Amino acid sequence: MYPSVYVDQIAAHEGKEVTLHGWLHGRRSSGKLHFLQVRDGTGTIQCVVFKGNVSPEVFHEADHLPQETSLSVTGTVKKDTRSPLGFELDVRSLAVFARPAREFPIGHKEHGVAFLMEQRHNWLRSPRQQVILRVRHSVVKAIRDFFDGRGFTLVDAPVFTPAACEGTSTLFEVPYFDLGKAYLTQSGQLYMEAGAMALGKVYCFGPTFRAEKSKTRRHLTEFWMVEPEVAYMDLDGDMELMEQFVSHVVQTVLQKHETELRTVLERDVEKLRKVVPPFPRITYTEAVEVIQKAGHPMKWGDDIGGDEETVVASAYDRPVMVHRYPAEMKAFYFKKDPGDPKVALGCDVLAPEGYGEIIGGGQREDDLAVLEAAIAQHGLPREAFEWYLDVRRYGSVPHAGFGMGVERCVAWICGLHHVRETIPFPRMMERITP
RNA sequence: UCCCCAGUAGCUCAGUUGGCAGAGCAGGUGACUGUUAAUCACCGGGUCGCAUGUUCGAGUCAUGCCUGGGGAGCCA
């Protein structure tokens, strides 16, 4: 309907006349020349309108179009070393689809966080947000490619669940017909364990919900999580999978977006280049010693808090894997270490540079009797977990898996201060619009 | 749930001891043939978050509320 070319393909049309459809990002003028920055979603190109090349009406209009006017520009593609893109469009004609009904709220100057969050739908048009969303897309694709390339099957977990998966987190409640209350999922893991008994290697990838009243830069109430689960895998195998997975995602994104990360987001990409196996591994007990030596009061059995986490993570130049946490701190389904029953066979991956926990996982309890006892000990409703116990009743095997939060991963790769910029429309405690 | 901070023009902010409501940017009009957040001249733009109180007088002081931001706990 509208034959045109895209900015990212412009080099192939050097010297030819083409038409571009896009939005006016910015405009500058210098007497008989007007410079229009036109954004089309694939890139931004400077379109030069010379007074001698167009009608007086078009020339005048070109200097009076507001930001975000949707338009078509037709002209000749010219190589130009002064352009960051390397090419410019020498404009012959220009057609406006629609002028903004009112002034676009987001200018090219400074804005505050609150204002930008209210304008999130408009904010997405800014160059920085475009880069972040492209990186997010690549992270998602790298995740899927990693598992698909290793024989995993995607098994979608339900969003409505009858009860807490872990019994601890605060959940969002929704009415569910005559069955009473349902809850929005906080993890697909238990379902993946059933899936792994059917298909061996599985993963789920979808939105997850936490109703905790967390107000920090690392929290959203709705976030995306990928959760692989593998039959016949122990903690060591799980940790190998974690490090291969994380480095695959980081290196794939780096390969694809290095320039954007460096120029638009000012990310130190050398730090990302170092994210290759093997990752350092320390036990929880060793981590406590490191934290104590750094002067933080902490004893064995305490949770590793935010500051303490940074102490451990900043001792290394790549993600660090902390394993074998006190069993009491972990969810009921973790298998205990046969060599030391005080600790669970769990492992968290802490991202460098203070980005915190991006992965949590471990080996699951595969013994029916032990798991039944754990459910009772945690005071969980046995009936709700009958189906889950079936996973152990019929040919139980050692199995392990983990979950990675996509937004924390994207925030780390992009070097962002807050996870709210890593998801198109963030949902937080105090914000549900736009 | 708890602790800390902020709310003044469309946006970012300044506002002295309590004494006429300000700047930059954005917007409008015009000048300029190479601008990169262009520059220059001129113009319009206000429920100082809301309420109550103190005072001759409150953007400024006090109390309460609302909204947002940061952090703690919890987690990915």
Side-chain angles (χ1 to χ4, degrees):
Chain A
M1 194 191 223
Y2 299 112
S4 65
V5 301
Y6 285 102
V7 171
D8 64 348
Q9 302 298 315
I10 208 74
H13 299 87
E14 189 186 343
K16 293 180 196 143
E17 183 163 290
V18 299
T19 297
L20 288 161
H21 303 315
W23 294 263
L24 185 65
H25 178 70
R27 168 166 59 73
R28 283 181 290 272
S29 169
S30 180
K32 290 174 182 160
L33 285 171
H34 299 320
F35 303 96
L36 307 181
Q37 322 297 324
V38 175
R39 180 192 81 242
D40 77 346
T42 70
T44 300
I45 187 168
Q46 174 156 281
C47 302
V48 184
V49 185
F50 174 53
K51 195 170 187 176
N53 288 346
V54 295
S55 69
E57 294 75 31
V58 167
F59 186 73
H60 181 264
E61 185 178 35
D63 198 30
H64 290 81
L65 294 173
Q67 187 187 343
E68 298 307 322
T69 297
S70 52
L71 43 73
S72 278
V73 279
T74 302
T76 311
V77 179
K78 287 193 171 165
K79 202 168 202 161
D80 195 310
T81 49
R82 289 167 293 192
S83 155
L85 184 74
F87 296 92
E88 290 186 339
L89 197 73
D90 194 15
V91 176
R92 292 278 149 198
S93 66
L94 183 157
V96 170
F97 281 110
R99 290 173 75 108
R102 61 173 74 147
E103 187 191 331
F104 190 66
I106 301 178
H108 296 150
K109 308 291 180 192
E110 250 183 290
H111 295 287
V113 172
F115 175 75
L116 289 171
M117 290 308 290
E118 272 155 32
Q119 297 288 329
R120 183 60 178 167
H121 52 295
N122 293 322
W123 191 19
L124 296 179
R125 301 188 184 197
S126 71
R128 174 185 164 87
Q129 298 306 314
Q130 288 178 53
V131 168
I132 294 169
L133 291 186
R134 287 200 192 95
V135 168
R136 180 188 171 96
H137 166 83
S138 294
V139 165
V140 170
K141 183 163 165 33
I143 287 169
R144 303 194 78 112
D145 286 347
F146 177 86
F147 290 118
D148 295 352
R150 283 161 186 256
F152 282 66
T153 301
L154 176 73
V155 176
D156 297 311
V159 169
F160 289 128
T161 60
C165 287
E166 303 179 12
T168 49
S169 303
T170 320
L171 304 178
F172 286 104
E173 264 181 30
V174 286
Y176 201 82
F177 305 111
D178 297 333
L179 297 179
K181 286 169 184 160
Y183 303 88
L184 300 185
T185 182
Q186 54 147 357
S187 166
Q189 183 206 311
L190 304 192
Y191 301 98
M192 290 309 100
E193 292 186 49
M197 300 304 131
L199 295 148
K201 292 182 279 188
V202 299
Y203 71 102
C204 64
F205 193 176
T208 306
F209 309 87
R210 302 278 166 92
E212 270 124 13
K213 295 193 171 180
S214 300
K215 285 184 66 171
T216 84
R217 65 177 129 170
R218 300 184 305 279
H219 287 90
L220 297 168
T221 54
E222 179 183 322
F223 65 97
W224 283 65
M225 188 155 67
V226 57
E227 295 175 281
E229 192 73 28
V230 183
Y232 295 106
M233 181 176 265
D234 62 7
L235 179 64
D236 286 341
D238 200 25
M239 286 166 71
E240 267 174 50
L241 187 66
M242 288 178 193
E243 67 184 359
Q244 282 169 22
F245 169 66
V246 170
S247 59
H248 171 83
V249 170
V250 171
Q251 296 310 321
T252 303
V253 171
L254 187 54
Q255 206 170 9
K256 213 165 162 182
H257 299 285
E258 183 177 336
T259 307
E260 290 168 294
L261 285 168
R262 271 207 337 260
T263 58
V264 181
L265 300 179
E266 295 174 342
R267 182 70 166 106
D268 181 354
V269 293
E270 295 313 313
K271 287 184 172 158
L272 296 176
R273 233 187 283 287
K274 289 177 183 160
V275 181
V276 289
F279 295 172
R281 288 144 207 247
I282 63 170
T283 63
Y284 166 87
T285 305
E286 288 163 347
V288 170
E289 283 166 17
V290 169
I291 292 161
Q292 286 170 341
K293 271 182 196 158
H296 288 70
M298 182 190 175
K299 60 181 192 298
W300 199 93
D302 288 349
D303 238 321
I304 297 180
D307 290 349
E308 290 82 14
E309 208 170 75
T310 305
V311 168
V312 176
S314 58
Y316 305 94
D317 63 356
R318 58 191 79 190
V320 56
M321 311 177 86
V322 183
H323 59 96
R324 290 180 168 79
Y325 283 79
E328 282 177 15
M329 286 168 48
K330 288 290 177 181
F332 74 94
Y333 49 72
F334 277 94
K335 188 175 181 66
K336 296 190 178 50
D337 188 346
D340 180 5
K342 287 200 306 298
V343 300
L345 294 175
C347 173
D348 289 348
V349 177
L350 307 182
E353 304 169 68
Y355 281 92
E357 186 184 342
I358 52 167
I359 282 182
Q363 189 173 342
R364 324 304 186 188
E365 180 54 66
D366 50 284
D367 184 283
L368 177 63
V370 174
L371 189 60
E372 284 174 320
I375 289 172
Q377 197 195 328
H378 281 76
L380 297 170
R382 166 75 183 248
E383 321 77 64
F385 293 95
E386 277 302 327
W387 72 266
Y388 182 64
L389 291 167
D390 270 359
V391 173
R392 277 75 182 172
R393 285 193 181 105
Y394 308 111
S396 187
V397 304
H399 61 288
F402 63 84
M404 184 185 78
V406 169
E407 289 75 17
R408 283 191 188 174
C409 181
V410 174
W412 165 46
I413 291 174
C414 290
L416 306 179
H417 177 70
H418 200 299
V419 291
R420 66 186 156 212
E421 284 184 74
T422 65
I423 188 165
F425 295 95
R427 292 293 173 253
M428 291 174 293
M429 199 178 129
E430 309 277 8
R431 182 171 298 284
I432 196 164
T433 54

